[in-house]
Amino acid sequence: QVQLVESGGGLVQAGGSLRLSCAASVSTFMFDAMGWYRQAPGKQRELVARITSGSTISYADSVKDRFTISRDNTKNTVYLQGNSLKPEDTAVYYCTARAAYRDYWGQGTQVTVSS
């Protein structure tokens, strides 16, 4: 059974940094892609960053040059480093992974950026 467990969320001041981690219960080699979504109160869930098995990376325009996604297959973990955080980055961040046309989701971790 595939499980994704996020960690690293919390409260940070504007301009600060956070690193989110997503640990998979299976080898990350089985995933075609992994990524991070976020959902702010009253808003739709949006894609933040994505990395494919071929290491192709894409970012939402709102986080380009501030966020970095990476993957460590030896630890079965994907990371999201967020720098220069803004209050509008406040959201629940979800890890996701795709394998054989099926999507898996973590339970989410709250990130709150205070102004």
Side-chain angles (χ1 to χ4, degrees):
Q1 184 177 1
V2 176
Q3 289 185 323
L4 303 173
V5 180
E6 302 101 333
S7 60
L11 175 64
V12 63
Q13 288 189 332
S17 299
L18 273 180
R19 189 175 81 155
L20 305 181
S21 300
C22 172
S25 60
V26 297
S27 171
T28 48
F29 281 114
M30 72 170 282
F31 298 127
D32 302 313
M34 298 186 74
W36 291 91
Y37 279 71
R38 67 185 181 187
Q39 187 167 21
K43 295 188 177 181
Q44 289 188 331
R45 191 172 295 190
E46 63 173 354
L47 177 65
V48 177
R50 183 173 180 265
I51 182 168
T52 70
S53 57
S55 296
T56 298
I57 291 174
S58 57
Y59 295 101
D61 288 342
S62 58
V63 306
K64 277 181 182 176
D65 301 323
R66 298 190 299 120
F67 285 25
T68 301
I69 188 171
S70 61
R71 184 181 62 212
D72 187 339
N73 290 326
T74 65
K75 297 181 179 179
N76 296 327
T77 300
V78 65
Y79 303 97
L80 184 68
Q81 175 72 41
N83 299 325
S84 302
L85 290 168
K86 305 175 181 180
E88 50 264 44
D89 294 318
T90 295
V92 177
Y93 284 71
Y94 296 90
C95 176
T96 184
R98 170 164 287 194
Y101 304 103
R102 178 174 176 176
D103 293 324
Y104 300 90
W105 293 87
Q107 81 287 353
T109 185
Q110 176 71 46
V111 172
T112 302
V113 184
S114 63
S115 57

